[in-house]
Structure formats: C-alpha cells, structure tokens
C-alpha cells in the first residue's frame, strides 16, 4: 500500500480492486459480502496512514471511476475517482466557479467528499448538493442530499460502511481569469508555508477550535523532532514527513509524542485528521 499513499507508508493489501464502473464496484462489493471479506476504500491516498501489517480483505480503489458530466449550465456529476486537480481544471475551462478552494489540495473527489476537504477559500460542503455511495453490506446504491451528509470541519456523516461513487456539485458562472487569479494566490500562499519534496499527508492533526495545531506543536518545541524516518516538518509543524524509510509505527510514535507534549503544555487533545487503515 506504500505505493498508493502520498506518505509512501503501509504494508500490503490482501487484494486490490480497481473497478471502472459503479456497476462493477457493486458486483465486487456483493461478492466480498457473500464471502465475508472486509472491504475498505482508497482514493488518492493523500490523507491516509496505512499500518505496517497491511490491510486484510479487499481494498477498493476508486481511481478508475473517472466520469465527469455537465448537467445543464452549472451542475456537475463527478465520479469518486476524478482527481481534485482535474475537477478544478475542467471547472476553470467551463468558467464555473466554486471549487477554487481545491488549488493545491491533492486526492480524489470521493476522498474530498468524505473528508469535506477544504482551504481558506471554501470546502466541498459549499457546492455539493447530493452524494451517492454503495453500501458494503449488499452493494446497493444510496443517495443522500447535502443536508443528510451533514458536512463538518474535515468530516461528514457519510458512513464508513459505504463507498462514495459520485457527487453532484452546483457551481456558478465565473470568468476564467478570476478563477485563475484566486487559485494562483492560494497556491502562492501555500507554497510559502508548506514543505515540499518529502512524502507527507498534509496536516496530520485537525486544528482545535480557534487555534492552529501547527502553532501549538511549534510552541512545544517539536519542529524537526524525529522518530525513525518520521519527522515533524521544520517548515510546518502540523506536517509529519517521511524523511526516509519511515514506518507507520515511527509515524504513530511521533504522533503520540506530539500529542503528549501538546496535552502537557496546553491541556488540549489533538485529534488526528489523517485516517488510519489496516493492522500494525
Ligand atoms: C500535500 C498535501 C496537502 C493537503 N492539503 C489539504 C488541504 O489544504 N485541505 C484539506 O482538506 N486536505 C488537505 N490534504 C489532505 C487530503 O488531500 C484530503 O483529505 C483529500 O480530500 C483526501 O482525498 P483522497 O482521495 O486522497 O482520500 P484518501 O486519502 O484515499 O482517503 C481518506 C479517507 O477517506 C476514505 N475514502 C477515500 N475515498 C473514499 C470513497 N470513495 N468512499 C469511501 N471512503 C473513501 C479512505 O478510506 C480514508 O478513510 C492535503 C494532503 C497533502 C498530501
């Protein structure tokens, strides 16, 4: 799984399934259910720490679900495997605004919906009107309104026993030059503060209400702290990078160390933003 995560960490999956259609995904999920195999989903692997023992059962990659249709003037139906970069590119070409916030956010639309990914410019919640997912128990398609998805800060109520297969987004007409100016400014701001060059998963912890996890970690004096191959980035303390040969155990040990230091100093419990998958 190290090949399928931006952290480049993770043991093997028992089985890897890359369906090209929603129907094929449903069939695979039903087969797994009949055989009692556990099923998990992976999108771009950009918010994922796969543990060193790997993942039992079937890992479904959404990467081949790449449909992107325009419905009427302003609505897009986007399959889960479409990359956030592709969505932003197409919306820009069609002069539709609303996903500028994706500038520099990696991953897939499915992962973005589950996480309600976002930046200072917005989040998936702002444009999503409907989400469809496949239920792992029986392969049935379930459709939910945005309200039912109950999007929050880097989370949603989309259940863990379903795989998101598409989302419907309603955008608004906006001149291409304006979209590009916003995206460029966002990317420039990000470039200044984000580490480049070493495998990572973006922010490791969620920001506590009204605070920045990065600042709390920096104040605890942990920039540059290293365990094995895992290192608290010198550039942005809420990023833990794989500085070379890191294992999931290294990264989790560093997460523990950071949490303990922040708890002792600020009496605050940092919550992981990155999702864990598999067994140690
Ligand atoms: C350099 C960098 C910068 C980043 N910057 C940001 C940022 O600014 N804002 C932000 O919000 N995030 C950011 N992230 C984190 C990440 O890009 C987002 O959380 C992204 O939405 C994750 O999408 P993904 O497809 O990679 O999901 P994955 O990492 O593949 O999966 C994340 C979780 O969702 C589940 N999942 C994935 N796809 C599906 C599906 N179709 N159905 C059901 N479950 C699924 C997985 O099982 C896992 O639990 C950054 C990451 C990196 C590496």
């Amino acid at each position: 799984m190290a090949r399928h995560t931006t952290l480049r960490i993770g043991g093997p999956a028992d089985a890897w399934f890359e369906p090209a259609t929603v129907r094929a995904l449903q069939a695979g999920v039903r087969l797994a259910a009949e055989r009692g195999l556990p099923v998990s989903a992976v999108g771009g692997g950009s918010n994922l720490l796969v543990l060193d023992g790997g993942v039992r059962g079937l890992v479904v990659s959404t990467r081949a679900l790449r449909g992107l249709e325009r419905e009427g003037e302003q609505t897009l139906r986007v399959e889960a495997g479409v990359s956030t970069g592709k969505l932003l590119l197409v919306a820009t070409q069609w002069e539709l605004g609303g996903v500028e916030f994706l500038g520099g956010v990696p991953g897939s639309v499915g992962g973005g919906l589950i996480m309600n990914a976002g930046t200072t410019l917005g989040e998936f919640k702002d444009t999503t009107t409907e989400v469809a997912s496949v239920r792992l128990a029986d392969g049935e398609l379930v459709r939910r309104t945005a309200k039912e998805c109950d999007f929050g800060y880097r989370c949603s109520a989309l259940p863990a026993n379903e795989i998101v297969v598409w989302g419907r987004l309603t955008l608004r007409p906006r001149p291409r030059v304006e979209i590009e100016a916003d995206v460029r400014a966002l990317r420039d701001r990000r470039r200044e503060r984000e580490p480049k060059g070493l495998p990572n998963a973006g922010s490791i912890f969620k920001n506590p209400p009204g605070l920045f996890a990065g600042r709390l970690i920096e104040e605890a004096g942990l920039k540059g702290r290293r365990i094995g191959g895992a290192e608290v980035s010198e550039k942005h303390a809420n990023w833990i990078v794989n500085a070379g040969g890191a294992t999931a155990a290294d990264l989790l040990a560093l997460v523990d160390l950071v949490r303990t230091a922040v708890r002792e100093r600020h009496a605050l419990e940092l919550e992981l933003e990155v999702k864990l998958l598999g067994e140690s």
Side-chain angles (χ1 to χ4, degrees):
M1 288 297 295
R3 283 166 47 208
H4 301 292
T5 66
T6 57
L7 269 167
R8 299 280 175 259
I9 291 175
D14 285 346
W16 177 260
F17 177 40
E18 228 176 87
T21 63
V22 173
R23 261 175 206 281
L25 188 150
Q26 289 176 289
V29 159
R30 285 196 188 108
L31 203 64
E34 279 164 27
R35 297 183 181 196
L37 285 176
V39 175
S40 29
V42 175
S46 64
N47 197 47
L48 199 56
L49 175 62
V50 176
L51 303 184
D52 299 317
V55 192
R56 302 292 73 79
L58 188 67
V59 175
V60 178
S61 162
T62 58
R63 69 157 65 136
L65 295 175
R66 296 207 194 111
L68 199 167
E69 289 163 30
R70 189 168 184 175
E71 302 174 330
E73 273 306 297
Q74 291 168 236
T75 302
L76 304 184
R77 196 177 72 94
V78 194
E79 285 192 338
V82 172
S83 71
T84 47
K86 169 84 180 184
L87 169 60
L88 176 56
L89 187 79
V90 170
T92 307
Q93 280 165 355
W94 287 340
E95 303 207 288
L96 292 172
V99 287
E100 294 85 342
F101 71 89
L102 288 174
V105 179
S108 68
V109 166
L113 287 166
I114 291 272
M115 295 299 304
N116 186 27
T119 58
T120 46
L121 289 189
E123 48 194 0
F124 267 95
K125 170 182 181 225
D126 305 335
T127 55
T128 305
T129 53
E130 190 182 0
V131 177
S133 50
V134 167
R135 210 156 47 199
L136 296 183
D138 55 11
E140 288 303 304
L141 195 74
V142 185
R143 291 167 65 160
R144 288 191 176 78
T145 61
K147 192 157 183 276
E148 289 168 321
C149 294
D150 196 17
F151 294 111
Y153 168 55
R154 302 298 165 261
C155 67
S156 68
L158 290 160
N161 58 357
E162 293 180 13
I163 297 181
V164 169
V165 287
W166 54 258
R168 188 167 268 127
L169 313 182
T170 298
L171 307 182
R172 59 194 157 76
R174 195 175 186 213
R176 182 178 180 142
V177 281
E178 287 183 19
I179 298 174
E180 285 174 344
D182 273 1
V183 171
R184 201 175 313 119
L186 177 64
R187 284 188 194 274
D188 287 349
R189 281 201 301 277
R190 296 179 66 110
R191 204 168 295 127
E192 272 168 32
R193 34 167 245 261
E194 292 175 359
K196 280 273 170 302
L198 291 171
N200 66 77
S203 297
I204 289 286
F205 299 103
K206 294 186 182 188
N207 288 323
L211 297 167
F212 291 103
R215 192 164 302 154
L216 301 174
I217 300 167
E218 189 174 346
E219 283 169 9
L222 294 174
K223 267 190 168 180
R225 180 63 70 90
R226 190 165 171 161
I227 294 184
E231 187 177 299
V232 175
S233 166
E234 286 282 0
K235 192 150 181 200
H236 190 317
N238 195 19
W239 288 39
I240 293 183
V241 296
N242 178 354
T247 61
D250 293 341
L251 202 130
L252 286 177
L254 195 52
V255 160
D256 257 1
L257 185 148
V258 168
R259 270 184 161 158
T260 306
V262 169
R263 189 184 307 125
E264 281 169 3
R265 194 182 163 99
H266 299 281
L268 268 171
E269 203 57 48
L270 287 178
E271 190 189 334
L272 274 184
E273 179 169 319
V274 161
K275 302 285 181 189
L276 305 186
L277 180 64
E279 54 190 41
S280 48

